[in-house]
Amino acid sequence: MAKIVLKGATNVREFGGIENSVGREILYKKFMRGSELSKLTKEDIDLLRQKYNLGKIIDLRNSTEILEKPNQIIPGCVEVNIPLLKASIPGFTGEKDAKLEKGKTVNPIEIYRSMINDFAIAQIKKIFEIIVNSTCSVMWISNNGRDRVEIISYLFLKILDV
């Protein structure tokens, strides 16, 4: 998985060139993952549009997260919000006002297990309908480009038999 270096976003990767179990490669410049895009520079936007033909962003964050850090507008790019979680989770979803109680910690495994529900399954189905039917490049994002993005990335690679 190749890193895409941007000044205004972290953990941005491209799946192009990854080979599956029968030797077929994922197309280059077609599928990407990353963090929220609120601090993209003009150069970042130009790179995503011109080099990667980015045309769709699937934002996995909830509405509060998006309001706190709205993505930069990328001309010609459609954003779709499909949150994977129904509610905010302090210490996990990233809202600045969501604080953990003193002495509490976040157990990501419990959160991942809690996501196995009808809501998340319906959201994942919507995400993959967009990925499969897109004629342009697609990027899925969350606050830091981890956790929720990693779940979708894992499923994406699993479906492709990587």
Side-chain angles (χ1 to χ4, degrees), residues 84-151:
L84 283 184
L85 301 167
K86 275 187 178 180
S88 298
I89 299 173
F92 188 80
T93 52
E95 297 88 341
K96 61 183 172 189
D97 293 335
K99 303 283 186 216
L100 280 172
E101 292 178 36
K102 190 172 182 174
K104 296 246 178 171
T105 59
V106 173
N107 183 341
I109 293 171
E110 285 179 25
I111 293 169
Y112 298 149
R113 285 185 180 138
S114 75
M115 289 174 64
I116 302 171
N117 58 49
D118 291 340
F119 174 79
I121 291 168
Q123 297 296 79
I124 290 168
K125 181 180 177 189
K126 290 177 196 174
I127 291 163
F128 279 95
E129 285 173 353
I130 291 170
I131 292 170
V132 167
N133 294 313
S134 184
T135 57
C136 55
S137 293
V138 180
M139 178 188 285
W140 45 96
I141 65 168
S142 67
N143 269 345
N144 298 310
R146 297 188 310 253
D147 300 316
R148 291 166 278 183
V149 161
E150 289 172 347
I151 289 168

Side-chain angles (χ1 to χ4, degrees), residues 45-114:
I45 291 169
D46 290 344
L47 178 77
L48 290 171
R49 281 299 293 147
Q50 293 169 12
K51 183 174 181 180
Y52 292 95
N53 189 33
L54 182 60
K56 284 218 170 105
I57 296 169
I58 303 169
D59 198 330
L60 306 173
R61 301 177 297 160
N62 66 40
S63 57
T64 304
E65 293 173 289
I66 292 170
L67 284 172
E68 287 180 0
K69 294 181 182 177
N71 293 321
Q72 289 290 322
I73 294 172
I74 300 175
C77 190
V78 175
E79 281 191 48
V80 181
N81 178 226
I82 307 176
L84 283 184
L85 301 167
K86 275 187 178 180
S88 298
I89 299 173
F92 188 80
T93 52
E95 297 88 341
K96 61 183 172 189
D97 293 335
K99 303 283 186 216
L100 280 172
E101 292 178 36
K102 190 172 182 174
K104 296 246 178 171
T105 59
V106 173
N107 183 341
I109 293 171
E110 285 179 25
I111 293 169
Y112 298 149
R113 285 185 180 138
S114 75

